[in-house]
Amino acid sequence: MFKFFVCSTALFFVMATARAEQFVSLTLCSDRLLLDIAHPEQIAAMSAYSKNPLMMLDKVNTDKPALEPQLATLLPYLDKTILINETFYPQLVQDLKKLGANIIPLNDTPQTPDELFALILKLGKITGNEIHAAHLVKTLQLKNFKLNQSVTDTLILSDTGVAESDFPQYSTLLNLLGLTPLKMPLTAQNFSLEKMLLSQPNVLIEISDKQSYNQQAALLNHPVLQKHFKNRPHFRIPMKYTYCFDHGVWQGAELIYNQNKTL
């Protein structure tokens, strides 16, 4: 009985210590992961993006300070663990390290689903939420959104122009849906309506918030494009699902899968 009490007490102490550690997220992508992995009381502050519903998934920061990535702003949080993209803010990272801050770099390094799952599990361990992180990974692994399309060559257009399918979020989205990129790849540098028609896409995925008025976004409403896809599969999802290579890609794939049922 005494041995069980000692073990239970030790386990409670370990859990309490992990829960007591607080985290500051300074990028959109770490915001989104932290909100789904950590307990609310573990989050001390988030990035300025965290209050923008167009950038977040199904959770938005409603009660945490939204910080700009500036040293003066972060001085009160030097006793917290800071999640930051080193490639975005190299000088800030150096300054924080000089002050002894505990930094966890999240540098958008995952390029495959397995690498993303490893990152989720790592964050689960860091925050003391291993079981929850493992459940999230298992849920994503079991998802199946394969579309029944005989011709799968797919064009992805967004408010910022043509999406290059070798980016991990776009390649994963296509793989989840059983679709393939165009045989004649289009890039932001070589894209034109003429080249788009020559590439003969059979499926269009439109990623748009209907908020932009630039030249690239205008392509989404071009009559030539609309005519080409009049009798072809045409799906639409908000941009928030592909801003980061995270679980949002799976949510976007599910939205497209459900749209396919109504075609």
Side-chain angles (χ1 to χ4, degrees):
M1 182 70 176
F2 177 74
K3 183 177 180 180
F4 174 78
F5 175 77
V6 171
C7 291
S8 299
T9 302
L11 179 61
F12 175 79
F13 176 77
V14 170
M15 293 177 65
T17 301
R19 188 74 62 85
E21 184 177 5
Q22 287 191 304
F23 299 85
V24 172
S25 167
L26 290 179
T27 67
L28 170 65
C29 298
S30 56
D31 287 342
R32 288 158 48 132
L33 285 171
L34 200 60
L35 273 177
D36 271 316
I37 295 174
H39 292 277
E41 65 270 22
Q42 291 182 288
I43 304 174
M46 307 185 77
S47 83
Y49 301 108
S50 64
K51 292 183 178 292
N52 186 338
L54 291 176
M55 292 187 170
M56 299 299 286
L57 295 172
D58 54 343
K59 297 181 179 70
V60 179
N61 175 17
T62 58
D63 60 348
K64 309 296 182 184
L67 305 181
E68 295 292 340
Q70 299 169 356
L71 185 61
T73 306
L74 291 167
L75 290 179
Y77 298 92
L78 293 180
D79 60 332
K80 317 301 182 188
T81 297
I82 299 174
L83 307 180
I84 188 171
N85 190 317
E86 292 176 307
T87 59
F88 289 175
Y89 312 113
Q91 185 59 53
L92 179 59
V93 168
Q94 288 185 29
D95 294 339
L96 288 169
K97 286 181 176 179
K98 288 178 182 177
L99 294 174
N102 184 25
I103 290 175
I104 297 177
L106 292 182
N107 298 334
D108 297 332
T109 51
Q111 297 295 305
T112 66
D114 284 343
E115 290 174 355
L116 172 62
F117 298 155
L119 174 61
I120 291 173
L121 294 175
K122 177 183 176 182
L123 287 175
K125 185 174 182 180
I126 290 169
T127 61
N129 297 299
E130 292 97 331
I131 294 176
H132 183 65
H135 176 73
L136 175 58
V137 168
K138 197 68 175 178
T139 300
L140 297 179
Q141 290 173 327
L142 293 176
K143 293 289 187 181
N144 183 8
F145 305 117
K146 292 289 190 289
L147 303 180
N148 186 23
Q149 296 290 333
S150 56
V151 184
T152 59
D153 293 354
T154 304
L155 171 66
I156 303 179
L157 287 178
S158 77
D159 283 344
T160 56
V162 63
E164 298 183 27
S165 58
D166 56 346
F167 280 44
Q169 57 265 53
Y170 301 126
S171 61
T172 299
L173 181 67
L174 291 176
N175 286 335
L176 288 171
L177 295 166
L179 300 175
T180 56
L182 297 175
K183 294 183 178 66
M184 184 187 300
L186 298 174
T187 67
Q189 289 72 34
N190 74 359
F191 180 82
S192 67
L193 285 172
E194 293 79 6
K195 289 184 178 179
M196 183 275 293
L197 292 174
L198 286 172
S199 68
Q200 287 297 301
N202 187 67
V203 180
L204 173 63
I205 296 178
E206 180 182 329
I207 304 176
S208 174
D209 291 330
K210 304 296 184 183
Q211 299 285 317
S212 299
Y213 301 96
N214 56 27
Q215 187 175 3
Q216 292 91 337
L219 288 172
L220 295 171
N221 298 314
H222 198 285
V224 171
L225 191 72
Q226 297 300 317
K227 181 180 179 180
H228 182 81
F229 287 102
K230 183 177 180 180
N231 297 309
R232 291 178 171 88
H234 181 178
F235 306 108
R236 298 177 178 87
I237 59 174
M239 291 188 72
K240 65 182 180 180
Y241 294 113
T242 56
Y243 274 128
C244 299
F245 181 39
D246 62 9
H247 49 306
V249 176
W250 278 255
Q251 293 182 23
E254 184 172 15
L255 186 57
I256 290 173
Y257 180 79
N258 291 333
Q259 289 176 28
N260 186 61
K261 294 178 182 178
T262 65
L263 294 178

PDB file of all heavy atoms in Angstrom, residues 113-141:
ATOM      1  N   PRO A 113       4.387  13.243 -44.122  1.00  0.00           N
ATOM      2  CA  PRO A 113       3.501  12.978 -42.990  1.00  0.00           C
ATOM      3  C   PRO A 113       4.214  12.322 -41.811  1.00  0.00           C
ATOM      4  O   PRO A 113       3.970  12.692 -40.657  1.00  0.00           O
ATOM      5  CB  PRO A 113       2.436  12.058 -43.589  1.00  0.00           C
ATOM      6  CG  PRO A 113       2.354  12.476 -45.018  1.00  0.00           C
ATOM      7  CD  PRO A 113       3.783  12.788 -45.396  1.00  0.00           C
ATOM      8  N   ASP A 114       5.108  11.372 -42.071  1.00  0.00           N
ATOM      9  CA  ASP A 114       5.809  10.701 -40.972  1.00  0.00           C
ATOM     10  C   ASP A 114       6.662  11.687 -40.176  1.00  0.00           C
ATOM     11  O   ASP A 114       6.744  11.592 -38.938  1.00  0.00           O
ATOM     12  CB  ASP A 114       6.689   9.571 -41.512  1.00  0.00           C
ATOM     13  CG  ASP A 114       5.877   8.339 -41.903  1.00  0.00           C
ATOM     14  OD1 ASP A 114       4.707   8.242 -41.470  1.00  0.00           O
ATOM     15  OD2 ASP A 114       6.396   7.490 -42.648  1.00  0.00           O
ATOM     16  N   GLU A 115       7.299  12.628 -40.866  1.00  0.00           N
ATOM     17  CA  GLU A 115       8.097  13.641 -40.160  1.00  0.00           C
ATOM     18  C   GLU A 115       7.196  14.578 -39.362  1.00  0.00           C
ATOM     19  O   GLU A 115       7.559  15.006 -38.264  1.00  0.00           O
ATOM     20  CB  GLU A 115       8.941  14.426 -41.160  1.00  0.00           C
ATOM     21  CG  GLU A 115      10.066  13.610 -41.783  1.00  0.00           C
ATOM     22  CD  GLU A 115      10.820  14.347 -42.878  1.00  0.00           C
ATOM     23  OE1 GLU A 115      10.422  15.472 -43.237  1.00  0.00           O
ATOM     24  OE2 GLU A 115      11.824  13.784 -43.369  1.00  0.00           O
ATOM     25  N   LEU A 116       6.022  14.887 -39.890  1.00  0.00           N
ATOM     26  CA  LEU A 116       5.070  15.701 -39.140  1.00  0.00           C
ATOM     27  C   LEU A 116       4.586  14.951 -37.895  1.00  0.00           C
ATOM     28  O   LEU A 116       4.503  15.530 -36.805  1.00  0.00           O
ATOM     29  CB  LEU A 116       3.876  16.062 -40.022  1.00  0.00           C
ATOM     30  CG  LEU A 116       2.711  16.762 -39.314  1.00  0.00           C
ATOM     31  CD1 LEU A 116       3.146  18.100 -38.731  1.00  0.00           C
ATOM     32  CD2 LEU A 116       1.524  16.940 -40.257  1.00  0.00           C
ATOM     33  N   PHE A 117       4.272  13.671 -38.055  1.00  0.00           N
ATOM     34  CA  PHE A 117       3.819  12.878 -36.913  1.00  0.00           C
ATOM     35  C   PHE A 117       4.897  12.827 -35.834  1.00  0.00           C
ATOM     36  O   PHE A 117       4.587  12.898 -34.627  1.00  0.00           O
ATOM     37  CB  PHE A 117       3.466  11.457 -37.356  1.00  0.00           C
ATOM     38  CG  PHE A 117       2.339  11.391 -38.366  1.00  0.00           C
ATOM     39  CD1 PHE A 117       2.242  10.315 -39.233  1.00  0.00           C
ATOM     40  CD2 PHE A 117       1.394  12.406 -38.456  1.00  0.00           C
ATOM     41  CE1 PHE A 117       1.209  10.248 -40.159  1.00  0.00           C
ATOM     42  CE2 PHE A 117       0.357  12.355 -39.383  1.00  0.00           C
ATOM     43  CZ  PHE A 117       0.269  11.265 -40.242  1.00  0.00           C
ATOM     44  N   ALA A 118       6.159  12.722 -36.242  1.00  0.00           N
ATOM     45  CA  ALA A 118       7.263  12.707 -35.278  1.00  0.00           C
ATOM     46  C   ALA A 118       7.325  14.028 -34.523  1.00  0.00           C
ATOM     47  O   ALA A 118       7.570  14.047 -33.305  1.00  0.00           O
ATOM     48  CB  ALA A 118       8.588  12.432 -35.993  1.00  0.00           C
ATOM     49  N   LEU A 119       7.077  15.141 -35.210  1.00  0.00           N
ATOM     50  CA  LEU A 119       7.073  16.449 -34.552  1.00  0.00           C
ATOM     51  C   LEU A 119       5.928  16.550 -33.554  1.00  0.00           C
ATOM     52  O   LEU A 119       6.109  17.057 -32.434  1.00  0.00           O
ATOM     53  CB  LEU A 119       6.952  17.559 -35.596  1.00  0.00           C
ATOM     54  CG  LEU A 119       6.782  18.980 -35.046  1.00  0.00           C
ATOM     55  CD1 LEU A 119       7.985  19.387 -34.197  1.00  0.00           C
ATOM     56  CD2 LEU A 119       6.569  19.977 -36.190  1.00  0.00           C
ATOM     57  N   ILE A 120       4.752  16.071 -33.933  1.00  0.00           N
ATOM     58  CA  ILE A 120       3.603  16.106 -33.020  1.00  0.00           C
ATOM     59  C   ILE A 120       3.898  15.299 -31.764  1.00  0.00           C
ATOM     60  O   ILE A 120       3.616  15.737 -30.639  1.00  0.00           O
ATOM     61  CB  ILE A 120       2.344  15.579 -33.734  1.00  0.00           C
ATOM     62  CG1 ILE A 120       1.902  16.564 -34.834  1.00  0.00           C
ATOM     63  CG2 ILE A 120       1.208  15.352 -32.735  1.00  0.00           C
ATOM     64  CD1 ILE A 120       0.770  16.058 -35.697  1.00  0.00           C
ATOM     65  N   LEU A 121       4.479  14.114 -31.937  1.00  0.00           N
ATOM     66  CA  LEU A 121       4.821  13.280 -30.779  1.00  0.00           C
ATOM     67  C   LEU A 121       5.887  13.949 -29.915  1.00  0.00           C
ATOM     68  O   LEU A 121       5.850  13.851 -28.677  1.00  0.00           O
ATOM     69  CB  LEU A 121       5.306  11.906 -31.255  1.00  0.00           C
ATOM     70  CG  LEU A 121       4.247  11.035 -31.957  1.00  0.00           C
ATOM     71  CD1 LEU A 121       4.892   9.759 -32.494  1.00  0.00           C
ATOM     72  CD2 LEU A 121       3.101  10.704 -31.007  1.00  0.00           C
ATOM     73  N   LYS A 122       6.833  14.642 -30.561  1.00  0.00           N
ATOM     74  CA  LYS A 122       7.877  15.364 -29.822  1.00  0.00           C
ATOM     75  C   LYS A 122       7.243  16.472 -28.975  1.00  0.00           C
ATOM     76  O   LYS A 122       7.596  16.633 -27.793  1.00  0.00           O
ATOM     77  CB  LYS A 122       8.888  15.946 -30.795  1.00  0.00           C
ATOM     78  CG  LYS A 122       9.978  16.793 -30.135  1.00  0.00           C
ATOM     79  CD  LYS A 122      10.913  17.395 -31.183  1.00  0.00           C
ATOM     80  CE  LYS A 122      11.943  18.318 -30.544  1.00  0.00           C
ATOM     81  NZ  LYS A 122      12.835  18.935 -31.565  1.00  0.00           N
ATOM     82  N   LEU A 123       6.323  17.222 -29.555  1.00  0.00           N
ATOM     83  CA  LEU A 123       5.652  18.279 -28.801  1.00  0.00           C
ATOM     84  C   LEU A 123       4.796  17.691 -27.678  1.00  0.00           C
ATOM     85  O   LEU A 123       4.670  18.293 -26.604  1.00  0.00           O
ATOM     86  CB  LEU A 123       4.788  19.128 -29.729  1.00  0.00           C
ATOM     87  CG  LEU A 123       5.537  20.081 -30.663  1.00  0.00           C
ATOM     88  CD1 LEU A 123       4.570  20.779 -31.612  1.00  0.00           C
ATOM     89  CD2 LEU A 123       6.316  21.120 -29.854  1.00  0.00           C
ATOM     90  N   GLY A 124       4.229  16.534 -27.935  1.00  0.00           N
ATOM     91  CA  GLY A 124       3.476  15.866 -26.875  1.00  0.00           C
ATOM     92  C   GLY A 124       4.353  15.514 -25.692  1.00  0.00           C
ATOM     93  O   GLY A 124       3.967  15.686 -24.534  1.00  0.00           O
ATOM     94  N   LYS A 125       5.571  15.050 -25.971  1.00  0.00           N
ATOM     95  CA  LYS A 125       6.509  14.707 -24.898  1.00  0.00           C
ATOM     96  C   LYS A 125       6.983  15.955 -24.174  1.00  0.00           C
ATOM     97  O   LYS A 125       7.066  15.981 -22.938  1.00  0.00           O
ATOM     98  CB  LYS A 125       7.699  13.948 -25.488  1.00  0.00           C
ATOM     99  CG  LYS A 125       8.677  13.448 -24.449  1.00  0.00           C
ATOM    100  CD  LYS A 125       9.758  12.576 -25.085  1.00  0.00           C
ATOM    101  CE  LYS A 125      10.715  12.034 -24.029  1.00  0.00           C
ATOM    102  NZ  LYS A 125      11.775  11.177 -24.655  1.00  0.00           N
ATOM    103  N   ILE A 126       7.300  17.012 -24.929  1.00  0.00           N
ATOM    104  CA  ILE A 126       7.792  18.251 -24.331  1.00  0.00           C
ATOM    105  C   ILE A 126       6.756  18.868 -23.386  1.00  0.00           C
ATOM    106  O   ILE A 126       7.097  19.378 -22.321  1.00  0.00           O
ATOM    107  CB  ILE A 126       8.179  19.259 -25.433  1.00  0.00           C
ATOM    108  CG1 ILE A 126       9.438  18.795 -26.162  1.00  0.00           C
ATOM    109  CG2 ILE A 126       8.398  20.657 -24.858  1.00  0.00           C
ATOM    110  CD1 ILE A 126       9.740  19.582 -27.421  1.00  0.00           C
ATOM    111  N   THR A 127       5.494  18.790 -23.788  1.00  0.00           N
ATOM    112  CA  THR A 127       4.423  19.405 -22.984  1.00  0.00           C
ATOM    113  C   THR A 127       3.813  18.444 -21.970  1.00  0.00           C
ATOM    114  O   THR A 127       2.926  18.829 -21.206  1.00  0.00           O
ATOM    115  CB  THR A 127       3.299  19.932 -23.902  1.00  0.00           C
ATOM    116  OG1 THR A 127       2.740  18.833 -24.648  1.00  0.00           O
ATOM    117  CG2 THR A 127       3.828  20.998 -24.851  1.00  0.00           C
ATOM    118  N   GLY A 128       4.284  17.196 -21.962  1.00  0.00           N
ATOM    119  CA  GLY A 128       3.731  16.220 -21.031  1.00  0.00           C
ATOM    120  C   GLY A 128       2.367  15.705 -21.443  1.00  0.00           C
ATOM    121  O   GLY A 128       1.595  15.235 -20.601  1.00  0.00           O
ATOM    122  N   ASN A 129       2.068  15.786 -22.728  1.00  0.00           N
ATOM    123  CA  ASN A 129       0.764  15.329 -23.229  1.00  0.00           C
ATOM    124  C   ASN A 129       0.957  14.237 -24.292  1.00  0.00           C
ATOM    125  O   ASN A 129       0.374  14.294 -25.376  1.00  0.00           O
ATOM    126  CB  ASN A 129      -0.007  16.516 -23.825  1.00  0.00           C
ATOM    127  CG  ASN A 129      -0.313  17.569 -22.785  1.00  0.00           C
ATOM    128  OD1 ASN A 129      -1.003  17.313 -21.809  1.00  0.00           O
ATOM    129  ND2 ASN A 129       0.221  18.771 -22.981  1.00  0.00           N
ATOM    130  N   GLU A 130       1.775  13.252 -23.949  1.00  0.00           N
ATOM    131  CA  GLU A 130       2.109  12.200 -24.909  1.00  0.00           C
ATOM    132  C   GLU A 130       0.890  11.434 -25.403  1.00  0.00           C
ATOM    133  O   GLU A 130       0.778  11.140 -26.596  1.00  0.00           O
ATOM    134  CB  GLU A 130       3.104  11.201 -24.286  1.00  0.00           C
ATOM    135  CG  GLU A 130       4.481  11.771 -24.014  1.00  0.00           C
ATOM    136  CD  GLU A 130       4.635  12.224 -22.570  1.00  0.00           C
ATOM    137  OE1 GLU A 130       3.607  12.607 -21.971  1.00  0.00           O
ATOM    138  OE2 GLU A 130       5.765  12.186 -22.059  1.00  0.00           O
ATOM    139  N   ILE A 131      -0.026  11.106 -24.490  1.00  0.00           N
ATOM    140  CA  ILE A 131      -1.198  10.299 -24.873  1.00  0.00           C
ATOM    141  C   ILE A 131      -2.068  11.067 -25.860  1.00  0.00           C
ATOM    142  O   ILE A 131      -2.525  10.516 -26.871  1.00  0.00           O
ATOM    143  CB  ILE A 131      -2.005   9.897 -23.626  1.00  0.00           C
ATOM    144  CG1 ILE A 131      -1.176   8.954 -22.750  1.00  0.00           C
ATOM    145  CG2 ILE A 131      -3.322   9.239 -24.025  1.00  0.00           C
ATOM    146  CD1 ILE A 131      -1.846   8.566 -21.447  1.00  0.00           C
ATOM    147  N   HIS A 132      -2.273  12.342 -25.585  1.00  0.00           N
ATOM    148  CA  HIS A 132      -3.102  13.160 -26.468  1.00  0.00           C
ATOM    149  C   HIS A 132      -2.448  13.306 -27.838  1.00  0.00           C
ATOM    150  O   HIS A 132      -3.121  13.211 -28.878  1.00  0.00           O
ATOM    151  CB  HIS A 132      -3.334  14.540 -25.840  1.00  0.00           C
ATOM    152  CG  HIS A 132      -4.226  15.427 -26.653  1.00  0.00           C
ATOM    153  ND1 HIS A 132      -5.548  15.129 -26.871  1.00  0.00           N
ATOM    154  CD2 HIS A 132      -3.981  16.578 -27.320  1.00  0.00           C
ATOM    155  CE1 HIS A 132      -6.089  16.073 -27.634  1.00  0.00           C
ATOM    156  NE2 HIS A 132      -5.159  16.962 -27.921  1.00  0.00           N
ATOM    157  N   ALA A 133      -1.142  13.535 -27.865  1.00  0.00           N
ATOM    158  CA  ALA A 133      -0.423  13.677 -29.143  1.00  0.00           C
ATOM    159  C   ALA A 133      -0.465  12.378 -29.933  1.00  0.00           C
ATOM    160  O   ALA A 133      -0.668  12.393 -31.159  1.00  0.00           O
ATOM    161  CB  ALA A 133       1.020  14.100 -28.885  1.00  0.00           C
ATOM    162  N   ALA A 134      -0.287  11.252 -29.252  1.00  0.00           N
ATOM    163  CA  ALA A 134      -0.333   9.953 -29.929  1.00  0.00           C
ATOM    164  C   ALA A 134      -1.723   9.693 -30.513  1.00  0.00           C
ATOM    165  O   ALA A 134      -1.857   9.128 -31.610  1.00  0.00           O
ATOM    166  CB  ALA A 134       0.050   8.841 -28.959  1.00  0.00           C
ATOM    167  N   HIS A 135      -2.753  10.119 -29.799  1.00  0.00           N
ATOM    168  CA  HIS A 135      -4.132   9.965 -30.302  1.00  0.00           C
ATOM    169  C   HIS A 135      -4.347  10.811 -31.551  1.00  0.00           C
ATOM    170  O   HIS A 135      -4.986  10.351 -32.515  1.00  0.00           O
ATOM    171  CB  HIS A 135      -5.130  10.366 -29.218  1.00  0.00           C
ATOM    172  CG  HIS A 135      -6.555  10.324 -29.679  1.00  0.00           C
ATOM    173  ND1 HIS A 135      -7.228   9.141 -29.899  1.00  0.00           N
ATOM    174  CD2 HIS A 135      -7.430  11.324 -29.983  1.00  0.00           C
ATOM    175  CE1 HIS A 135      -8.452   9.400 -30.313  1.00  0.00           C
ATOM    176  NE2 HIS A 135      -8.608  10.708 -30.368  1.00  0.00           N
ATOM    177  N   LEU A 136      -3.802  12.038 -31.559  1.00  0.00           N
ATOM    178  CA  LEU A 136      -3.925  12.899 -32.726  1.00  0.00           C
ATOM    179  C   LEU A 136      -3.245  12.259 -33.936  1.00  0.00           C
ATOM    180  O   LEU A 136      -3.813  12.230 -35.043  1.00  0.00           O
ATOM    181  CB  LEU A 136      -3.312  14.274 -32.441  1.00  0.00           C
ATOM    182  CG  LEU A 136      -3.255  15.270 -33.621  1.00  0.00           C
ATOM    183  CD1 LEU A 136      -4.640  15.530 -34.186  1.00  0.00           C
ATOM    184  CD2 LEU A 136      -2.598  16.583 -33.193  1.00  0.00           C
ATOM    185  N   VAL A 137      -2.042  11.732 -33.736  1.00  0.00           N
ATOM    186  CA  VAL A 137      -1.315  11.078 -34.823  1.00  0.00           C
ATOM    187  C   VAL A 137      -2.092   9.873 -35.334  1.00  0.00           C
ATOM    188  O   VAL A 137      -2.249   9.679 -36.554  1.00  0.00           O
ATOM    189  CB  VAL A 137       0.091  10.650 -34.359  1.00  0.00           C
ATOM    190  CG1 VAL A 137       0.738   9.706 -35.374  1.00  0.00           C
ATOM    191  CG2 VAL A 137       0.962  11.875 -34.145  1.00  0.00           C
ATOM    192  N   LYS A 138      -2.603   9.051 -34.427  1.00  0.00           N
ATOM    193  CA  LYS A 138      -3.350   7.857 -34.826  1.00  0.00           C
ATOM    194  C   LYS A 138      -4.594   8.227 -35.618  1.00  0.00           C
ATOM    195  O   LYS A 138      -4.925   7.592 -36.628  1.00  0.00           O
ATOM    196  CB  LYS A 138      -3.747   7.059 -33.578  1.00  0.00           C
ATOM    197  CG  LYS A 138      -4.160   5.629 -33.877  1.00  0.00           C
ATOM    198  CD  LYS A 138      -2.975   4.819 -34.362  1.00  0.00           C
ATOM    199  CE  LYS A 138      -3.333   3.357 -34.547  1.00  0.00           C
ATOM    200  NZ  LYS A 138      -2.188   2.581 -35.068  1.00  0.00           N
ATOM    201  N   THR A 139      -5.263   9.283 -35.197  1.00  0.00           N
ATOM    202  CA  THR A 139      -6.459   9.744 -35.899  1.00  0.00           C
ATOM    203  C   THR A 139      -6.119  10.158 -37.328  1.00  0.00           C
ATOM    204  O   THR A 139      -6.834   9.810 -38.278  1.00  0.00           O
ATOM    205  CB  THR A 139      -7.095  10.934 -35.157  1.00  0.00           C
ATOM    206  OG1 THR A 139      -7.468  10.518 -33.835  1.00  0.00           O
ATOM    207  CG2 THR A 139      -8.330  11.437 -35.887  1.00  0.00           C
ATOM    208  N   LEU A 140      -5.028  10.895 -37.501  1.00  0.00           N
ATOM    209  CA  LEU A 140      -4.622  11.330 -38.834  1.00  0.00           C
ATOM    210  C   LEU A 140      -4.222  10.141 -39.703  1.00  0.00           C
ATOM    211  O   LEU A 140      -4.554  10.089 -40.893  1.00  0.00           O
ATOM    212  CB  LEU A 140      -3.457  12.324 -38.737  1.00  0.00           C
ATOM    213  CG  LEU A 140      -3.747  13.642 -38.002  1.00  0.00           C
ATOM    214  CD1 LEU A 140      -2.496  14.514 -37.967  1.00  0.00           C
ATOM    215  CD2 LEU A 140      -4.900  14.400 -38.642  1.00  0.00           C
ATOM    216  N   GLN A 141      -3.526   9.170 -39.122  1.00  0.00           N
ATOM    217  CA  GLN A 141      -3.067   8.011 -39.879  1.00  0.00           C
ATOM    218  C   GLN A 141      -4.226   7.166 -40.407  1.00  0.00           C
ATOM    219  O   GLN A 141      -4.110   6.527 -41.454  1.00  0.00           O
ATOM    220  CB  GLN A 141      -2.142   7.146 -39.017  1.00  0.00           C
ATOM    221  CG  GLN A 141      -0.787   7.773 -38.736  1.00  0.00           C
ATOM    222  CD  GLN A 141       0.036   6.972 -37.752  1.00  0.00           C
ATOM    223  OE1 GLN A 141      -0.515   6.338 -36.841  1.00  0.00           O
ATOM    224  NE2 GLN A 141       1.355   7.001 -37.906  1.00  0.00           N
TER     225      GLN A 141
END
